[in-house]
Amino acid sequence: MYSSNLSGFILALVSSAFIGSSFIIKKKGLRKAGVSGPRASVGGYGYLLEPLWWLGMITMIVGEVSNFVAYVYAPAVLVTPLGALSIIVSAVLAHFLLREKLQKMGVLGCLLCIVGSTVIVLHAPEERSINSVIEIWELAIQPAFLLYTASAAAIALVLILYFSPRYGQTNILVYIGICSVIGSLTVMSIKAIGIAIKLSLEGTNQAKYFQTWIFAMVAITCIITQLNYLNMALDTFNTAIVSPIYYAGFTSFTILASAIMFKDYSGQSASSIVSELCGFVTVLSGTFILHSTREPDPPTLTET
């Protein structure tokens, strides 16, 4: 494993621990806020006054900052799949704190996630050396990535404007689809900003380029959208369902976006690519085993 990838790997582990915990803390906050006002799933924002939800947000921010730095040192095809480890944390904590029972097959799912993540780490490509935000901008305006960006934006708009009002409360793929598609663009922008900060700290100021600020505006817009629809998904559906499906969609779209923009697999042997894809499929299998063996939320009107 390359030293840069190792740093990214360690940071991704720290990120998973905090993000996995944040799912549980935020959901407890959402439940508590829903008792005294409109739930987030129907457009309520009472959770913004709930300290427990903010504690979850702080925990999530710490995890995302670690994730942010991890993207500076390692390719997205390595960092993003390791998010499966946050699902393990989330599943275990949900078992004890939310009374969402983890079955024996769920433990198998956790083990599959760990095995798959290990395979991905061992066969991940080396991080590409970039010396300026301008280089990232050139990658972002390639025809192939522009087509991906336009397609992602169109899909998100259709889901938000048409499907969300009609099917958001009954079909989890609506909210998660929005988070996943927008999330892939978030990661690309976050990686660009992270590299810009790293280069600036090393003495090469990147703030003078307008492209840096465009990446920042895209990231902020995408993050706000993700958080809004993730809150709606968490408040509407069981955490055990939201976490694995969100992981699968978000990771798949992010790997695709990164492969198009940064050409992550260029120069890798066929065996390494196949091994990494097998690792990803193993992780996906683990996440869906976790989903299939968990109990749904009880249909109660109020929660204490």
Side-chain angles (χ1 to χ4, degrees):
M1 184 188 300
Y2 304 97
S3 58
S4 179
N5 280 12
L6 177 59
S7 298
F9 169 67
I10 294 172
L11 287 165
L13 289 181
V14 173
S15 172
S16 293
F18 278 95
I19 292 175
S21 301
S22 76
F23 270 100
I24 307 304
I25 299 173
K26 286 202 300 178
K27 178 144 190 179
K28 287 183 74 68
L30 288 169
R31 284 183 173 182
K32 191 173 180 181
V35 173
S36 57
R39 297 167 63 95
S41 57
V42 294
Y45 293 94
Y47 59 84
L48 294 175
L49 301 176
E50 175 54 52
L52 193 58
W53 184 86
W54 281 107
L55 176 61
M57 275 301 301
I58 293 171
T59 304
M60 187 174 193
I61 289 171
V62 172
E64 293 295 353
V65 169
S66 299
N67 209 37
F68 173 84
V69 180
Y71 280 116
V72 176
Y73 291 99
V77 295
L78 166 62
V79 177
T80 307
L82 290 179
L85 301 180
S86 69
I87 297 175
I88 297 175
V89 175
S90 178
V92 173
L93 291 180
H95 175 78
F96 292 105
L97 301 179
L98 299 180
R99 298 180 182 179
E100 296 175 1
K101 191 173 181 181
L102 179 64
Q103 307 288 350
K104 291 182 178 179
M105 285 298 291
V107 177
L108 173 61
C110 291
L111 293 176
L112 286 175
C113 288
I114 294 173
V115 171
S117 297
T118 302
V119 173
I120 290 171
V121 170
L122 293 176
H123 295 89
E126 184 179 7
E127 171 67 346
R128 178 174 183 160
S129 177
I130 294 177
N131 300 310
S132 170
V133 167
I134 301 300
E135 290 184 38
I136 307 176
W137 181 259
E138 292 297 325
L139 295 173
I141 61 175
Q142 298 172 95
F145 189 72
L146 286 177
L147 177 60
Y148 174 84
T149 302
S151 300
I155 291 171
L157 285 174
V158 170
L159 288 173
I160 291 171
L161 299 177
Y162 181 81
F163 287 95
S164 180
R166 294 169 174 81
Y167 309 109
Q169 294 290 304
T170 57
N171 191 328
I172 191 174
L173 295 180
V174 175
Y175 294 151
I176 296 303
I178 296 169
C179 294
S180 300
V181 174
I182 294 297
S184 66
L185 299 180
T186 302
V187 171
M188 299 303 102
S189 300
I190 286 294
K191 187 172 179 68
I193 297 169
I195 292 173
I197 293 174
K198 178 175 178 286
L199 292 172
S200 296
L201 292 175
E202 291 175 350
T204 307
N205 182 23
Q206 301 297 304
K208 63 183 179 181
Y209 299 117
F210 75 89
Q211 289 91 340
T212 301
W213 300 104
I214 292 179
F215 283 127
M217 288 187 290
V218 170
I220 291 171
T221 302
C222 291
I223 288 171
I224 292 173
T225 303
Q226 273 184 272
L227 284 176
N228 183 51
Y229 285 96
L230 181 57
N231 280 330
M232 294 174 74
L234 283 170
D235 199 39
T236 307
F237 304 98
N238 189 296
T239 307
I241 301 175
V242 173
S243 296
I245 296 179
Y246 177 51
Y247 166 80
F250 172 66
T251 304
S252 298
F253 279 108
T254 299
I255 289 176
L256 176 60
S258 185
I260 294 172
M261 181 171 173
F262 291 99
K263 298 180 173 62
D264 292 320
Y265 295 108
S266 178
Q268 272 202 300
S269 65
S271 61
S272 292
I273 295 174
V274 170
S275 295
E276 190 169 357
L277 291 176
C278 287
F280 179 48
V281 171
T282 302
V283 173
L284 282 180
S285 300
T287 61
F288 280 98
I289 287 177
L290 271 172
H291 154 57
S292 65
T293 58
R294 298 289 298 282
E295 297 176 344
D297 282 328
T300 56
L301 297 177
T302 62
E303 295 170 291
T304 58

